[in-house]
Amino acid sequence: MAAEIADEEDLMEFDSDPYLTPDSTWTQPSPSSQSSPSNKQSSISEPVTEEKSQDSKSTLKEPPNLEMPEMEELDIGRESDEEPLLQTSDPAARSMSERKKARKMVFSSWVAQHAETVTKERVREIVENADEPFLSIRNLMSKQESNVIISDPREYQVELFEKAKQQNTIAVLDTGSGKTLIAVLLLRYMLDKELENRQLQGYKPKTSFFLVDCVTLVFQQFAVLECNLDQKIERFCGEMGCELWSKSVWEQLFKDNMVVVCTAEILHQCLMHSFISLDQINLLIFDEAHHAKKNHAYARIMKDFYMQELNLKKRPKIFGMTASPVDAKQDVVEAARQLEVMLDCQIATAADLSLLRMSVSRPKEKAVTYSRLRAAYLTPLCARLKETFGDLESVQRVLAFSMEATSELGEWCADHVWRLGLKEEEARKIERKTERLYLTGREGRLAAALDADLDRIRKAQQFVDQWNFLEAPNPSLPNNISSKVSLLIQYLQLIFKKSSSTRCIVFVKRRYTARILVEMFSRIDIPNVRLGLLIGTRPGDAGDVKISFRQQVLTLRDFKEGSINCLFATSIAEEGLDIPDCNVIVRFDLYATLIQYIQSRGRARHVESQYIHMLEEKNMLHIQALRDVRSGEDVMRQFCEALPADRLLQGNDCNLESVLAKEKSMRRYTEPETGATLTYTSSLVVLAHYVSCLAYLDKPKLPATTSSNGIMLQPNYFMTTENKRYVCEVVLPEQAPIRSAVGRPASNKAIAKRSAAFEMCIQLRKGDHLDGNLISTLRKFVPANANAMLAVNVKKRTEYGAKLKPRLWEDSRGCFPKKLYLTVLKLGDPENLLRPSQPLALVTRTHLPAFPAINLHLPSDKISQALSISVTNCLNVTESMVSTLNNFTRCIWRDIYAKTFEDNIPQMSYWFAPILKDAVIDSHNSVPTSLIDWDVLRFTDLHNFENPIKWTVGMPDTELEDRFMVDPGQGARRFYSAKVNSILRPSDQVPCQDLQGNVSMESILGFSRNYKNNTEEHRSEQIHVQRGMGKNYERLEFIGDCFLKMATTIPIFAIQQDHDEFHYHVARMEMICNKNLLENALKIGLPEYIRDRGITRTGFYPHGIKLLAGKGITPTSAAKKHSLGDKTIADVCEALIGAALLSYQDTKDMDMAVKAVSKMVSNRVHAVNKWSEYWPLYEKPPWQLATATASQLDLAAQIERKHKYHFRYPRLLRSAFMHPSYPFLYEKMAMVSNKFLAALAVELGFHRHLRCAGMVVEDLNRKFVVELEELKQKANGRRDYWTAAENPPKCLADIVESYIGAIFVDSEFDFQQVEHFFETHVRCFFEDMHIYDTFANNHPVTHLHNHLTLIYGCNNYSVMADEVPSVDGLPPRNVAAVIIHDRVIAHGSASSTKNAKVKACLAANDLLRDLSIELYRKDYGCDCEEVRIGQQAKGVGSPPDATTIQSDLLEVGTAI
């Protein structure tokens, strides 16, 4: 089964020369040596070679994706340190690095041309055609059609624009009157001036800001401005996380954009941190300017920065827009004057308001009344719940609203409040709040109290589930629905009966009201009604509801398009919602202020619109509210009409003093060097950010993100009173360098709290814990090019000493031996040799240890183990016995290897001796003399060098049978004789019966045993190579790499509990990286033991003995050294670890492998030599030891039924099922996504226990589960059903890995518990690996690789990817291209590099599908096969055949 062979540390180079071996002189260029005009990050994927890329450690990870490994990101824009590309017409003369460099240059040029074609129109077309669930919020907003402002402004718009050019102005115009167009005209004017000023030498560029109050308006106003401005514009909001961007990032953004649309808080943060200064801004536009009061961000910008700038020339121009300057119940004229002072502006409106009224259509207003409502009371359901659960703080909000609903909405709604508030999702929120209250220790309760509360919450949920609800409201029942709701039903039935094109917004005060009314109307049959819900995104209390901003965007889109035509909304829809077709507004709950009335009325943009006020009969509060807004609007209009055209801001200086009087009483700090400003209000934000950064502080006692009781880090404020004034102390978590600070006494709690935060920030700045921009100096450190720093150069090769012979040979030579030792070598299955044989002994001067059995690959695919038995008893020898052994040994060298050595017994290191065929060998009890076949030795003595057996004409045929023969004329020809056939001649063909186990030759003369093959110096003659005899340390490297990662992870996790996954990764990388392995290998002298070449006879020829006949073998200095790549040495380290692990299968003992890891990594973190030494390193954190709650115990019991393991610490298990979105975490394990693990999570039912706080996550989980269950039903028992599923949500795979991690920790690092899980739940899926073959080979990248290499024999190709610039605010696009012989033949684009490569390979596969070999080579000029054959003939290299390539490729993927 092929698999994704990449992991977080190691990425295998998909190289384009599959025939090169690690010994080849051809090497691939390092990533840093590539040259290209592009500065983008590129990744290159080419065919697999044995020489992998930097820091490559193949790891089986994720079967589902089944693409070739994701490739390393190479910077193709760096300066090249290689020689220039050789321009040669001979392709064979171009080295691998030259070909790769040429392909990269081709790709870089293609990317540069291709990027120009990715125009803004094309990107927008892509967005329009994309499925919205996969679009970002930015793209969702971009996809929605924006209204292009009419280029011909009305007279009053030009009038106000001219005023705004001359002075700071607040334009007060009704909603829908085109205030934004005035802002556009002013922006065009200011941008023209800015462009002229930028031509002046020394001018400091400035930026214009369009500020809004909410996120929705950021995107809406950006869309309008983008359609009407020529200069570059960008938008920002807190949803993008930009409040944490660095100064350099902001400076670049301001440099690149002349206009910025953002929420006011974003600009306030930038000014506070001095990312931008006031003199770098030329225009501030305040949308919905009436918000500029108190501590709103509008007011804070003005008070903290604008008014503090005394140099008026440095102040930017200000333009405000509002429908009414009043948003509270106060005097209209006074509110208008206060707004003028706050924004340093003059209020202005159209000179001819009658002209304005003609231009803006207003809805017809109608007040409708409903009967008096009943007083609130308890329904039977509510009474039962209050009696049983009313004291639970977490459900009191639901209880309170349910009681109010009996009056406002009726009994049906009041009861269904519980049905919504205690359904599973909401019940989880309540449980979470209850847990937080318990863990904060506010009430000092015991775990038993928490268990009791959680149990009561679950019982309340069960009680509600079992209650008999009316499915639809029944008006005939007393108070089933209130008169208010009844009136709304009648009115909606009336307006939607008339027309299906009606667009209606029903405004309510509370989220619960909107939600319950949508639920109720969905059960009432009203023709043509299509319901929608629009409420706020801010989180509410437990049991409350919210929606995401993404859901808001989609809801507004649906309302504009008409798929929703009746929208129930809270005040979130009052401002900025521009729906031209909206023609009905219903105020189900009345407005509280004049601005709410004006803004909600402004949502009715249609020419014939209605605005309905719903009033309770004889309710004087409702009547007065209607009178107030109408009279307030009249006063506001009269105020605006009375404004003189040439009015000056008189008396504002005095009013300004009153505005800043309160500010002057509060301290203020300005950083001298940067200008960053700290105020009482901003200190709360600065301090909160600093505390969140304590997660990066190295404190070994506790997890950095939690305190001792498991609560997320946050500053705690404690309030006391002193002389009738409030004094606040802020206390930081124990990780902080400064624990507490006390603020100054204040008249109210809010100011006292700010004072304490301000004091703490000052202390942190003095201690350099805040930098000059008032940002925490504790930042998450990501080393630049960390992987490159820890990697080794795959090109680098170094000369090392090579240990050709064991030292004991030299130590024991120089004398005539008196005693010798036998090491018997025998075949475990001698019959597989297909001819008679007997054991052979290696006779040495010293006793040798026993050697492990070795598999020998014999003819006809037979295998037999070569066994070695070291006999303990010595062989006492005489000179004649040694002479006999010496003659036998010299005969072997002469007859088999054609080497004649001198007779020099003192310099001989070892001898050979034949062993009796039927001898029983016991290493401890055997007598050596009884084992040796002395008859053979005596025969050899008789026919020694001076008297060899030679063939004569009259020699009997029987003397020629069963002999080993050597042709004296051709020493390479050797034969085993069976019998004599006088009829045949040497030139005749070999009889068929003699071919078994041999290679067929054309003649008997050629049918010989060549004992020179299978050696390094005769690579081209290797005719007897069997499968499995290749460079097979890679399998050991694979398993060693896996164990190395696991072994180093355990102590890091155990010791460094305060770190997050990133720090775990970095710490482990420092240990397992190739650089560290190489350094430690050199320290212990490992390279001299590495065998990098094939078997050579020179390795076991006797040294120190003179050669009398035969080719010379005089060793040179070069023979004692070998050239090894740094990467090869690191790989051998992993292979040694793998070898040390092989004993585990039989002994279940990993100690040898643990010791090998400690030796190879040489790091104090992994200073263990036994598996049992891991567990003492782990110190159980407090959250793990805390008493388990009832819900945790219940979860443990449920999971135990699915997998037979009993948790000692159920809290560990609960942490395994917590999604990161969950607002409270004990601890999380490091995780990696995997489709199979996600399927396994569903198979085991783990998905039912996952806790998450996001509806998107739950929806994705639900879809994947449904799809998987359908696939399983159709699979008819096949275990590979999961491969056809779509990519799963990451959290499903996470919980399986976290669960296994929890078992591992809970069992005190008992690996057998992990094995038990594997054997029980995983192995059954992979018992038949063949079912995954098609799944693997069908992947486009794999298919292309196989097609090019195995069918066409081509190795000059690459699959390359790069990023093209972002257009129109879209995410960066990635393009990939398939390059064959320096030509781009196919390409693809996607949001990720991986998917772009897949698309490119799909296109290439389609192009090559029916192309013959001849046409391929002709069309693409491919001569790879001819070059390869030529190289082989020259002995440059002996590439394996296609079958071997494919088999080796799959072998890496199938090693599980």
Side-chain angles (χ1 to χ4, degrees), residues 1042-1057 1064 1068 1071-1072 1150 1154 1157 1165-1166 1168 1170-1179 1301 1304-1305 1308-1311 1314:
C1042 293
F1043 185 82
L1044 174 64
K1045 291 185 175 77
M1046 180 184 73
T1048 51
T1049 299
I1050 294 172
I1052 292 172
F1053 174 80
I1055 296 172
Q1056 302 180 8
Q1057 297 185 34
Y1064 290 155
R1068 187 175 72 171
M1071 286 194 282
I1072 70 174
M1150 294 185 179
V1154 172
V1157 171
V1165 174
H1166 196 280
V1168 295
K1170 295 181 179 179
W1171 182 271
S1172 59
E1173 295 176 3
Y1174 282 131
W1175 178 247
L1177 299 176
Y1178 181 73
E1179 182 180 350
F1304 188 64
V1305 175
E1308 300 184 357
F1309 298 169
D1310 183 358
F1311 190 75
V1314 179

Side-chain angles (χ1 to χ4, degrees), residues 474-489:
N474 187 351
S476 62
L477 296 176
N479 205 38
N480 189 252
I481 55 175
S482 68
S483 58
K484 185 177 182 181
V485 172
S486 180
L487 178 62
L488 179 63
I489 294 174

Side-chain angles (χ1 to χ4, degrees), residues 937-956:
L937 291 175
R938 283 190 287 269
F939 182 85
T940 307
D941 257 352
L942 180 63
H943 302 285
N944 56 24
F945 282 85
E946 290 73 25
N947 187 28
I949 301 175
K950 295 183 178 181
W951 177 79
T952 60
V953 176
M955 181 177 288

Side-chain angles (χ1 to χ4, degrees), residues 147-152 180-182 184 188 224-225 227-228:
N147 293 326
V148 179
I149 297 180
I150 301 173
S151 58
D152 184 18
T180 306
L181 174 57
I182 304 173
V184 169
R188 289 175 179 171
V224 173
L225 296 183
C227 293
N228 292 273

Side-chain angles (χ1 to χ4, degrees), residues 741-760:
V742 179
R744 296 179 179 180
S747 58
N748 61 59
K749 292 182 179 180
I751 296 178
K753 180 179 179 179
R754 290 175 172 83
S755 176
F758 183 90
E759 187 63 38
M760 175 59 77

Side-chain angles (χ1 to χ4, degrees), residues 1292-1355:
L1292 291 179
D1294 290 349
I1295 58 177
V1296 175
E1297 293 183 329
S1298 293
Y1299 173 69
I1300 296 172
I1303 288 179
F1304 188 64
V1305 175
D1306 188 80
S1307 64
E1308 300 184 357
F1309 298 169
D1310 183 358
F1311 190 75
Q1312 292 188 25
Q1313 294 296 338
V1314 179
E1315 277 191 309
H1316 175 57
F1317 181 89
F1318 175 84
E1319 294 292 338
T1320 305
H1321 304 294
V1322 179
R1323 180 181 289 277
C1324 58
F1325 283 89
F1326 301 103
E1327 288 177 340
D1328 181 7
M1329 298 298 297
H1330 296 292
I1331 63 177
Y1332 298 102
D1333 289 347
T1334 303
F1335 175 53
N1337 294 326
N1338 279 344
H1339 190 277
V1341 184
T1342 306
H1343 181 80
L1344 178 63
H1345 162 70
N1346 291 337
H1347 200 70
L1348 291 174
T1349 56
L1350 305 182
I1351 304 299
Y1352 298 137
C1354 179
N1355 57 48

